[in-house]
Structures are given as C-alpha cells and as structure tokens.
Amino acid sequence: MDFALSEELSMVRDMSRDFAENHLMPLATQHDREAKIDASVFPAMAELGLWGLTVPESYGGAGMSNLAMCLVLEEINRACASTGVTLSVHASLVCAPINKWGTEAQKQAWLPKLASGEVLGAYSLSEAVSGSDAAALVATGTRDGNDWVLNGTKLWVTTGEQAGLFVVYVRTDPTVSKAKGITAFLLPRDTPGFQVGKKEKKTGIRGSSTNELVLNNVRLGPESVLGEVGRGFNIAMDTLDGGRIGIASQAVGIGRACLEAATKYAKEREQFGQAIANFQAVQWKLADMSTHLDAARFLVHNAAWLRDTGQEVGRMASQAKLMASKTANFCADECLQIHGGAGYTDDFHVERLFRDARITEIYEGATDVQRIVIARHLLRS
Ligand code: CAA
C-alpha cells in the first residue's frame, strides 16, 4: 500500500494551496462580514479549472478523480469555507449526477458550461417538512401532456443566488411509498414561474448564499428529467454519498486551519513568563487536534478512493463525514480555548472558523443521519 500522492495529485494540491493562500485567505474575513463572495473569486477559480476538475475531458473538464477534488477542497476550505462549499456542491451534487445519470443531450447541454464556471450548480432536496427525513418532501411535479408542471417551495439551497442550474427533487407520484414517488429535474434559472426567494442569514459560511426556491407552475419538458421518473430519491442519496466526501474534506480543511492558528498563537502568547506552548495542557490539545485530523483525512481519502474505483461507499462516506465534522468542531473549540478571550473577538479569524465548522455537522446529512446510515450498513443482513 502506497500512501504517497502521485505527481499529478501533488501538483493539483499545490496549485489550489497557492490560490487559497494568495487569493482566498486575504478575502475570507470580508466574505464573512459582507455575506458575499468577492467578484474576483469565481472567475479566478474558472481560470484554474477548478469548477470542472472532475468533469470528463470530453465535456470540457479536467477528468480528475474525487481524491483530487478532496485535496482541492481541503486547501480551499482551509482558507475560506464559503468558497469551499460552493465548489463542493457544484462538483459533487450537480456535475457528478449529470455525468452519471444524464442523457447525452443533458451532458452536452450542461457539463461544458458547468466545467468552465459559466454556470454554477445548486442542489435542491430539502423543504420545510423534509430535512433529515428527506423522502417526506411535498413539492410536486404533475404531468401535463409530455410536460411536467412543478409547484412548491424548497429550502436551504446552497448557491441559490448565483446558480444557473438547479437539480430539483419533487414528488411526481403521490400514490406510491414516499421514497419511490420522487423525480429529479434539471431546472435552468431563467425558467418562467421559478423564483429564487429569501436568502438565509446564517451563523457561519456567511459568504455562501443559502436560499429558498419558489416553484409556481414551472413547466419543464420531458428532456429535463434526470435519470428515471420515480427514481429521484435513489439519485439524491447516491449523489449525497459523494457530497458527504466533499463536506468531510471541507471539515478537514477548517480543522487544519484551526490547528495552524492554535499552534502559531501558542508559540507567540506568553503567560506566567513563558510561551503558553510550553505548557503540557496546551501541547496535549495540539497533539489531539493533529491526531484527529490525520485520522479524519485518511477516512476521507479512503472514501474518495472507493468512489473513484466504483466500490460501495455509503458507509465509508458517512464515517468520513461523521469523523471529519466532529473533528472540525473539536479543533475549532480547542483553537478558540487556546486563544482565550482574544479568540472570542473578531480581531482573530478563529471566531469565524468556530462558526464555519458548525455547519459541517448539519448539512448534507446531520451527524445523527450519518450514524443512521452507518448503523444500517452494519445491521443489514
Ligand atoms: N444510494 C442509492 N440509493 C439509496 C441510498 C444510496 N446511498 N440510500 C438509500 N437508497 C435507496 C434505498 O435503497 C431505497 O430504495 P428502494 O426503495 O428502491 O429500495 C430508498 O433509497 C429509500 O431508502 P431508505 O428507506 O433508507 O430511506 P429513508 O427514508 O429511511 O431515509 C436517510 C434514509 C439516510 C435518513 C435519508 O433520508 C437521508 O440521507 N437524510 C438526510 C438528508 C440529507 O442529507 N439532506 C441534505 C440536504 S442537501 C444539502 O445539505 C446540500 C447543500 O446545499 C450543502
């Protein structure tokens, strides 16, 4: 077993680290305070090919692996988690399912635009009544001749403000059991009857947009169905297996930023006549943060490798997300504790890291949902 990164993967990691340190880090506080990502960021990511990193070369992407995307996401999220989630959702929740289930026409229509960053993608599963119980969604898709007419209100849609394409899940058959009657649709932003609604004011990842979507007699042709009619829930779940690896990478990136900030501060800050790094209580915190982070990263990379090699990944993706999101919050808490009162002010970016880490235990399946998925795999005969 060889744990070394290939030359190509090392280059991708170094390129994204360079971009993250030089372009994103100086902007991350601004993104948080102004609750929007600076206009320079997305075009710069397009120039580096990040939006299409995992899109096949035949559709204008770089055709790289999920593991490559994990390396990129760790670097980007270490600098700015708002930018990180935007990329993760675009790649894993939009490009990936179109590539996997899309018709040739859908791939031709959307993947080149998504890969170039001309169009950003969003994923819309949740509603007011369906969060963890995703199959309980009530927005509808009704047949009208060959067309479908969509109605309802969707919630918690990352990148709602900027996205040009939404993968929307609605109930198309109310007569069958709840997970079986759902269909996925590709919904372009400019479709009549479709409106991006209220923007949420969030605790963390404030630079990324999170919106309500309103579907008011939105008419779509049959060519807009992604995958089979009635198989949308399976698509949503399989897609989230990949998405959870992305969010786990985000968590590792945030956790690493916490460890780095805590180590730096511990060496600089003096109390009782010496640097607080000399105290064993502080050293143990740093040691535990580092150990948890490396364990989480191994789980994430293993899950990505399973996905890349076409193996079953549900349990490992959930284990990676569970471990990495817990670790991010552990690291953020210890980092803030090492900073003391200073860390509780906005003079230091660690208070942002503390707020940004929290969402990794909530979105793309809360911690408790990851435990459900893991336990079901263990218990199934
Ligand atoms: N891949 C493919 N199919 C799957 C699957 C997977 N990983 N997991 C389940 N399925 C299939 C099942 O096989 C079953 O299919 P059949 O009916 O054909 O047999 C069907 O889906 C129903 O499965 P379950 O009975 O297990 O479904 P459930 O209702 O018990 O729900 C759950 C399971 C794991 C709790 C699920 O509801 C879940 O993951 N909830 C969390 C939702 C979530 O993560 N939301 C994230 C919102 S998006 C977001 O946050 C993105 C963002 O913007 C950042």
Side-chain angles (χ1 to χ4, degrees):
M1 187 181 287
D2 184 356
F3 287 100
L5 292 181
S6 67
E7 201 180 320
E8 188 185 44
L9 288 174
S10 302
M11 274 172 59
V12 170
R13 182 202 54 197
D14 293 349
M15 176 266 286
S16 50
R17 182 177 298 170
D18 190 53
F19 167 69
E21 288 182 351
N22 294 311
H23 198 134
L24 286 180
M25 264 181 200
L27 291 169
T29 299
Q30 174 195 317
H31 292 171
D32 179 60
R33 294 198 180 148
E34 295 181 3
K36 66 170 196 274
I37 293 172
D38 188 77
S40 66
V41 170
F42 294 165
M45 288 168 71
E47 219 160 280
L48 294 174
L50 295 180
W51 299 113
L53 193 79
T54 51
V55 171
E57 285 173 292
S58 48
Y59 298 106
M64 294 195 73
S65 60
N66 289 296
L67 181 54
M69 184 50 93
C70 288
L71 299 170
V72 169
L73 285 172
E74 178 178 333
E75 299 302 329
I76 300 279
N77 282 288
R78 169 179 169 245
C80 174
S82 293
T83 307
V85 70
T86 310
L87 177 60
S88 184
V89 166
H90 174 90
S92 64
L93 301 188
V94 181
C95 295
I98 294 176
N99 190 43
K100 187 163 180 177
W101 284 285
T103 60
E104 191 49 40
Q106 287 171 333
K107 291 185 198 183
Q108 299 277 1
W110 291 111
L111 287 179
K113 288 181 188 161
L114 291 161
S116 69
E118 180 191 336
V119 170
L120 295 189
Y123 172 97
S124 175
L125 179 66
S126 304
E127 296 176 10
V129 294
S130 59
S132 291
D133 185 6
L137 63 86
V138 295
T140 55
T142 314
R143 269 193 203 276
D144 183 18
N146 277 337
D147 289 350
W148 292 91
V149 179
L150 275 50
N151 280 290
T153 304
K154 308 295 288 183
L155 284 185
W156 309 119
V157 181
T158 299
T159 323
E161 265 190 353
Q162 301 91 346
L165 179 68
F166 297 78
V167 181
V168 178
Y169 296 86
V170 296
R171 184 165 304 286
T172 47
D173 187 350
T175 65
V176 292
S177 72
K178 62 182 195 180
K180 294 219 187 287
I182 293 169
T183 301
F185 287 88
L186 297 180
L187 172 58
R189 187 184 189 96
D190 56 7
T191 309
F194 174 55
Q195 245 191 330
V196 176
K198 176 180 155 236
K199 180 180 173 187
E200 304 295 341
K201 291 185 183 149
K202 305 191 297 287
T203 301
I205 55 157
R206 286 170 42 78
S208 77
S209 61
T210 305
N211 295 76
E212 171 193 66
L213 305 184
V214 182
L215 308 166
N216 185 10
N217 288 323
V218 175
R219 182 171 289 273
L220 292 173
E223 71 286 354
S224 303
V225 172
L226 180 66
E228 275 176 56
V229 171
R231 298 294 287 172
F233 192 73
N234 302 67
I235 293 177
M237 290 296 110
D238 181 85
T239 297
L240 281 169
D241 285 345
R244 286 166 184 166
I245 301 171
I247 298 304
S249 307
Q250 170 177 60
V252 172
I254 297 170
R256 188 170 129 220
C258 294
L259 174 60
E260 289 168 355
T263 306
K264 179 169 181 290
Y265 189 76
K267 290 202 276 192
E268 288 167 3
R269 171 73 174 160
E270 292 195 358
Q271 284 291 275
F272 305 102
Q274 56 189 308
I276 60 171
N278 290 336
F279 297 120
Q280 238 178 24
V282 172
Q283 291 172 7
W284 288 13
K285 286 187 195 306
L286 299 177
D288 284 349
M289 289 160 78
S290 172
T291 306
H292 285 230
L293 272 171
D294 280 342
R297 186 181 295 106
F298 277 125
L299 281 177
V300 173
H301 289 190
N302 184 39
W305 172 77
L306 287 171
R307 188 89 164 157
D308 285 330
T309 50
Q311 299 181 64
E312 157 63 42
V313 74
R315 179 171 66 89
M316 286 307 293
S318 285
Q319 289 187 181
K321 182 173 184 285
L322 173 64
M323 175 75 177
S325 59
K326 284 267 167 214
T327 296
N329 281 281
F330 167 71
C331 291
D333 191 49
E334 293 292 46
C335 173
L336 202 147
Q337 193 67 22
I338 288 172
H339 280 76
Y344 201 60
T345 70
D346 65 9
D347 291 345
F348 285 78
H349 74 298
V350 302
E351 64 83 29
R352 171 174 56 79
L353 297 175
F354 185 78
R355 289 183 285 106
D356 286 351
R358 194 64 187 83
I359 191 63
T360 64
E361 278 206 63
I362 299 170
Y363 58 20
E364 300 207 25
T367 293
D368 315 280
V369 164
Q370 307 313 324
R371 291 191 171 115
I372 291 173
V373 173
I374 297 162
R376 283 186 182 174
H377 274 86
L378 295 176
L379 296 171
R380 77 184 175 195
S381 47

